[in-house]
Amino acid sequence: MNRSDLVRHVSRQTQHSQAQIETLLDLILDEIATLLLSGDGTLTIRNFGRFEIRHRQGVTRRNPKTGEEIKVPSKRAVIFQPAKSFKERIND
């Protein structure tokens, strides 16, 4: 399923237009991104999971073909940790 499929599916279930659902989805995703980029950097959605930004240290890797060392810089990454109830739903 992609974004268009999701919008179409939610539109059918809620009897709202696809344009309304698209706007709502944009607003929600923008708010999630804004929250994650703010100082707190954590969003918890009950019975679904937690999104947070974590810092990943820079590392040195080796190119398997040439043996050359490559430095991978440190960066921030978004991590999703599913809630216990969500994990249980997946595994049932």
Side-chain angles (χ1 to χ4, degrees), residues 35-72:
L35 179 71
L36 290 174
L37 294 172
S38 73
D40 183 28
T42 301
L43 169 67
T44 302
I45 301 173
R46 189 176 181 155
N47 295 324
F48 185 70
R50 184 176 73 216
F51 296 90
E52 67 180 295
I53 292 183
R54 291 189 187 161
H55 181 76
R56 292 196 177 172
Q57 294 293 328
V59 294
T60 302
R61 301 285 186 217
R62 189 171 300 278
N63 182 333
K65 268 188 174 178
T66 64
E68 174 188 6
E69 286 190 353
I70 301 170
K71 293 192 185 236
V72 178

Side-chain angles (χ1 to χ4, degrees), residues 10-12 21 48 55 68 73 79 91:
V10 172
S11 175
R12 279 191 219 123
I21 300 301
F48 185 70
H55 181 76
E68 174 188 6
I79 305 297
N91 291 315

